[in-house]
Amino acid sequence: MNMVLLSAVDFSLPLKNPVIIFSLVLFIILFAPILFNRIKIPHIIGLIIAGIVIGPYGFNLLLRDSSIVLFGTVGLLYIMFTAGLEIDMEEFKKNRLKSLVFGLFTFSVPLVLGSLAAYYLLNFNLYPSILLGSMLSTHTLLAYPIVSKYGIARIRAVTLTIGGTIVTDILSLLVLAAVTGMTKGDIGPSFWIKLLIGCVIFGCIVFLLFPVIARWFFKRFDDHISQYIFVLAMVFLGSFLAEVAGLEAIIGAFLSGLALNRFIPHVSPLMNRIEFVGNAFFIPFFLIGVGMLVDVSVLFKGMGAITVAAVMIAVAVTSKYLAAVFTKRTFNLSQDEQRLIFGLSNARVGATLAIVLIGYNIILAETASGEPIRLLNEDVLNGTVLMILVTCTISSFVVEKASQVIALKEESLSHSKAATNEKVLISLAYPETVVEMVDFGLMLKPHKSNIPVYSLHVTLDENGTSNSGANRKKIMEKALNHASATGNALIPITRYDISISHGIIYTIKEHSITDVLIGLPHNADQQTFFGPTAEKILKSILDTIYVYKPAQPLNTLKKIVVLVPDKAEFEPGFSHWFEKLATIAKASGMPITFYAGNKTLAKLKAVYENTVNGPKMEFTDFNNWDDFLIFSRELKANDLFVIISSRKGNVSYNQYLEKLPYYLSSYFQANSFMILYPKQLDQNPNMEDILQSDSSLIGPIARKSPLSKIGKILRTIFVR
């Protein structure tokens, strides 16, 4: 019976049974990286070599059929999409000129050198020479997963290279369109007008309509599976629209990633799923498919393909290296940044294959024997495949090495900054706000930092009005599962105490917490706004406290509006809360607008100017707290309203802060808002500096001082 069943299975080569094919590919994806990593070869090269071995030019285990092409295309689009998704938008805007310049360098240098080499060394005609040069100008971000793995995807060199990739690929594809059009004789003004109109319409749809659709969807659907399917659908819609506009699909995938960038924070379950599925499935399929293209036998079929391949490889590597050197010297980049730029821009796959296949399929004429005369001949096609293998190998090795060096430097820098022993505590009380609280709490720590984040739920013992055990377990499990889905870990704390406030206060003291996040229920009104629990915590805890009320998911917000009271710069926790707001803004991709008095604004601007790679910030003069309700008109529905408050008796405290519960519960219920209480000390430090900076503080400080004699002396000296 078993022999009969086995005989029914087709083991002939190439394999045709879908179960066997899929199992083989999965085992390759599993074991190839492990094997090649042990011999110090990047896993990307391992997957390409595996594709060579099993492909039609190797042991012929698999055909490069429509399924391999389909998954490979998805993998290439996935690489471009994640590149757009992980890019730091503020860094991208700051470096847009550098990206343009690098794009022009990395396009023009290979175009000129490649065209000259093809014309003079390979004796090609003019049009094939230009087309070959444009083919060498393109590059694929094949090694981008390596950069992402080391956590340096948002640094300047990577952002610059990604921007340059789009510039050079667009220009190369325009050269392709021009050459093929002139070859066929059907190019004219109407062609360029149609292309321009198509690109404008495509850009408007992606950058104006996509964000509106995404914000609407994420506000209404919180199911993780639905969100992931929605993102994939938008990516492929963008890719299709790019092709309709006359561009390459990879351009549409990248621009879709830019459009959805701010809606998918790095610290989110959705981002974790996107990276997981791409790295585990689609991208490996693409790399295996690239390997299946390589025909090593061309090396033994004569010198034609070898000569063309040698010239193409030499020009391809040299020209991209020169472009990286020119960029380094133009913008005074470091040697490590130059290596990373060269490595990322050296691999050729997607657009290169598209150009060579189009050129190969254009038949100019036929010989007397009926042989077709192609725009790009078979030697160029075979040479291109060999060039792909060599450039991808060089790219992977260079990027792996450069990423290791840069990541070590970044890690040492982050460790030196993390010497402050910061700890974040999320106090969980309401089941309906658990997800929003966890998202916000995780954003209080910089991306990939080691700052611990605790989640606390306090249960009253039998002397109080206790929460049920089922409710407590539900809240904590929901928080832990959500954090785990983002790739982060919460440290859970469940405490039994005679009161909620005691439990929170003593947990903060026992664990030396520096930042405390407290939530408000969605239906908080003036009477229940803070309640006795929050009041006791504010009086007993002098560390930074954030009181947060979410009205919508954090990733659907557009801007942070921060209201700062006068003299806030003299509070001990001033620089700390500024840094935390900058961290939140950078992680969420939101700009910040500060409203404060002139002196406070001057200090905020000074701190901002010393911030490295900070988010976009604007500063607006605001002095009249009597007109606080103007913000009910100024704030938009998708703004996060942050009020920097102060505890009673401190230098930045004013009477209007007492009215915040009434104002916020009456006029800002539709907005997400947060009240931030800066860190305080038992006694304000640097008293002389404060007094010299603003003599108006002398009266309040002297009256407050427990040392009455010193108070009298200060009033005598300064008030008179």
Side-chain angles (χ1 to χ4, degrees):
M1 180 66 179
N2 290 335
M3 295 300 294
V4 173
L5 291 175
L6 284 174
S7 64
V9 179
D10 185 5
F11 288 103
S12 63
L13 299 181
L15 297 172
K16 299 178 181 63
N17 188 308
V19 177
I20 299 176
I21 292 174
F22 203 70
S23 299
L24 175 63
V25 173
L26 289 180
F27 277 113
I28 290 172
I29 294 173
L30 175 62
F31 290 111
I34 298 173
L35 174 63
F36 284 92
N37 281 337
R38 287 190 174 183
I39 55 178
K40 306 299 181 183
I41 294 178
H43 71 281
I44 286 177
I45 298 303
L47 291 169
I48 293 175
I49 293 175
I52 296 173
V53 172
I54 68 170
Y57 304 111
F59 290 106
N60 196 28
L61 298 179
L62 298 181
L63 283 176
R64 195 174 188 273
D65 57 11
S66 58
S67 61
I68 299 294
V69 173
L70 171 63
F71 286 118
T73 302
V74 174
L76 177 58
L77 297 179
Y78 218 95
I79 290 175
M80 296 303 298
F81 167 63
T82 53
L85 201 61
E86 293 189 1
I87 200 169
D88 186 332
M89 290 303 294
E90 284 305 314
E91 192 72 18
F92 184 66
K93 292 175 183 176
K94 291 177 185 176
N95 291 290
R96 59 182 178 270
L97 177 60
K98 295 178 182 177
S99 294
L100 176 61
V101 172
F102 169 67
L104 294 176
F105 279 148
T106 200
F107 167 74
S108 58
V109 175
L111 177 67
V112 172
L113 294 182
S115 300
L116 292 175
Y119 191 80
Y120 289 105
L121 298 180
L122 301 177
N123 298 318
F124 285 7
N125 292 328
L126 179 61
Y127 288 162
S129 298
I130 295 175
L131 193 58
L132 188 142
S134 71
M135 186 175 67
L136 299 182
S137 297
T138 66
H139 62 254
T140 303
L141 296 172
L142 183 88
Y144 183 82
I146 298 175
V147 168
S148 183
K149 178 185 72 173
Y150 282 100
I152 57 171
R154 310 191 91 183
I155 67 171
R156 177 178 59 177
V158 177
T159 301
L160 187 154
T161 309
I162 292 172
T165 301
I166 300 306
V167 173
T168 188
D169 280 358
I170 289 176
L171 293 176
S172 298
L173 294 170
L174 289 177
V175 171
L176 169 66
V179 170
T180 54
M182 286 186 286
T183 301
K184 297 176 181 178
D186 59 358
I187 194 168
S190 61
F191 169 82
W192 297 109
I193 292 173
K194 289 179 181 177
L195 181 63
L196 178 62
I197 293 174
C199 291
V200 170
I201 295 174
F202 164 68
C204 290
I205 292 174
V206 170
F207 289 112
L208 298 180
L209 187 59
F210 275 26
V212 174
I213 297 173
R215 183 169 282 108
W216 174 86
F217 186 89
F218 287 125
K219 280 185 178 180
R220 287 161 178 78
F221 300 94
D222 57 2
D223 175 61
H224 297 315
I225 296 176
S226 300
Q227 289 183 349
Y228 180 77
I229 298 299
F230 167 77
V231 168
L232 277 189
M234 297 300 286
V235 172
F236 287 97
L237 176 60
S239 302
F240 169 72
L241 292 175
E243 290 185 330
V244 171
L247 300 173
E248 194 67 25
I250 57 175
I251 307 295
F254 174 76
L255 296 182
S256 298
L258 288 183
L260 298 176
N261 182 291
R262 66 184 308 163
F263 299 100
I264 308 175
H266 281 262
V267 184
S268 67
L270 181 55
M271 187 66 175
N272 199 37
R273 285 176 172 83
I274 290 171
E275 291 180 339
F276 172 78
V277 175
N279 293 328
F281 189 72
F282 290 127
I283 295 175
F285 248 105
F286 164 67
L287 297 171
I288 292 172
V290 170
M292 295 174 72
L293 285 169
V294 178
D295 183 4
V296 182
S297 65
V298 299
L299 297 174
F300 310 100
K301 293 181 179 179
M303 294 300 296
I306 295 176
T307 303
V308 173
V311 172
M312 291 175 64
I313 291 168
V315 174
V317 175
T318 303
S319 59
K320 291 296 183 180
Y321 179 79
L322 289 175
V325 171
F326 293 158
T327 306
K328 170 186 180 293
R329 293 183 177 178
T330 302
F331 299 113
N332 195 27
L333 304 179
S334 69
Q335 191 68 31
D336 292 327
E337 287 177 312
Q338 176 196 310
R339 291 195 193 98
L340 192 59
I341 291 171
F342 165 64
L344 284 171
S345 63
N346 192 51
R348 275 85 163 177
V349 185
T352 306
L353 279 174
I355 293 174
V356 73
L357 290 174
I358 290 172
Y360 180 75
N361 290 325
I362 294 177
I363 300 175
L364 303 176
E366 290 186 358
T367 64
S369 60
E371 290 292 326
I373 300 175
R374 303 177 184 273
L375 184 61
L376 295 178
N377 60 32
E378 190 171 337
D379 287 341
V380 176
L381 179 63
N382 291 325
T384 299
V385 174
L386 291 177
M387 182 192 68
I388 287 173
L389 176 62
V390 174
T391 57
C392 290
T393 303
I394 294 173
S395 174
S396 299
F397 276 106
V398 173
V399 171
E400 183 85 26
K401 183 64 177 176
S403 298
Q404 287 177 354
V405 174
I406 294 174
L408 284 174
K409 291 180 179 178
E410 293 275 325
E411 187 177 359
S412 62
L413 183 63
S414 64
H415 280 327
S416 64
K417 288 182 178 179
T420 53
N421 295 322
E422 293 180 9
K423 295 180 180 179
V424 177
L425 176 71
I426 307 171
S427 178
L428 301 172
Y430 310 104
E432 69 272 16
T433 63
V434 168
V435 170
E436 289 87 351
M437 291 288 288
V438 171
D439 285 339
F440 196 93
L442 292 174
M443 282 193 179
L444 288 174
K445 68 169 190 170
H447 185 50
K448 293 191 180 296
S449 72
N450 294 321
I451 294 175
V453 180
Y454 298 81
S455 59
L456 170 67
H457 183 75
V458 178
T459 301
L460 299 179
D461 67 8
E462 57 187 10
N463 295 322
T465 306
S466 163
N467 282 327
S468 69
N471 187 51
R472 177 185 72 251
K473 184 178 180 181
K474 178 182 176 182
I475 289 176
M476 193 59 72
E477 282 186 353
K478 189 175 182 180
L480 294 176
N481 290 337
H482 187 73
S484 177
T486 68
N488 291 274
L490 289 179
I491 303 173
I493 301 175
T494 301
R495 189 181 185 104
Y496 296 85
D497 214 308
I498 58 172
S499 75
I500 301 294
S501 57
H502 281 182
I504 296 173
I505 290 168
Y506 287 112
T507 300
I508 293 169
K509 293 181 177 180
E510 288 169 3
H511 294 275
S512 301
I513 302 296
T514 59
D515 296 87
V516 184
L517 178 61
I518 301 173
L520 292 176
H522 287 153
N523 58 351
D525 55 26
Q526 184 182 357
Q527 285 72 33
T528 63
F529 194 83
F530 282 131
T533 298
E535 294 277 359
K536 291 178 182 178
I537 295 171
L538 289 171
K539 289 179 181 178
S540 303
I541 300 299
L542 300 179
D543 292 291
T544 308
I545 296 178
Y546 312 80
V547 182
Y548 178 48
K549 198 219 83 168
Q552 64 188 69
L554 194 60
N555 65 319
T556 62
L557 297 171
K558 283 187 176 180
K559 184 175 67 173
I560 301 176
V561 177
V562 184
L563 179 59
V564 187
D566 290 339
K567 305 180 181 67
E569 66 271 26
F570 297 122
E571 299 282 6
F574 174 76
S575 59
H576 181 73
W577 67 252
F578 182 91
E579 180 184 340
K580 287 300 177 186
L581 288 182
T583 300
I584 294 169
K586 193 169 180 66
S588 61
M590 290 188 284
I592 303 179
T593 300
F594 286 99
Y595 287 83
N598 288 328
K599 293 181 179 179
T600 305
L601 278 183
K603 183 63 176 178
L604 287 167
K605 290 178 182 177
V607 177
Y608 174 59
E609 289 171 359
N610 293 325
T611 303
V612 179
N613 296 329
K616 181 181 179 182
M617 295 186 183
E618 296 178 353
F619 304 89
T620 304
D621 184 28
F622 179 81
N623 287 301
N624 189 9
W625 279 71
D626 284 326
D627 202 18
F628 179 87
L629 290 181
I630 192 176
F631 288 101
S632 64
R633 301 189 299 272
E634 292 291 328
L635 281 174
K636 304 294 188 298
N638 297 314
D639 292 345
L640 171 62
F641 191 24
V642 178
I643 304 100
I644 307 300
S645 187
S646 180
R647 297 165 178 86
K648 279 187 178 181
N650 292 291
V651 292
S652 66
Y653 179 80
N654 66 57
Q655 59 181 345
Y656 298 102
L657 297 177
E658 288 288 330
K659 301 178 182 179
L660 284 180
Y662 168 71
Y663 286 144
L664 293 174
S665 61
S666 301
Y667 299 97
F668 299 91
Q669 275 290 344
N671 293 95
S672 294
F673 60 78
M674 179 180 71
I675 306 175
L676 193 155
Y677 291 87
K679 179 181 179 180
Q680 300 290 343
L681 301 177
D682 291 331
Q683 293 181 349
N684 285 329
N686 302 321
M687 187 70 71
E688 291 185 24
D689 294 341
I690 295 177
L691 298 180
Q692 289 174 6
S693 301
D694 194 341
S695 59
S696 65
L697 297 176
I698 298 304
I701 292 175
R703 286 192 295 273
K704 179 188 171 187
S705 174
L707 303 176
S708 58
K709 292 183 179 180
I710 295 177
K712 291 179 180 178
I713 293 172
L714 291 173
R715 284 198 298 273
T716 302
I717 294 174
F718 289 99
V719 177
R720 291 182 182 177

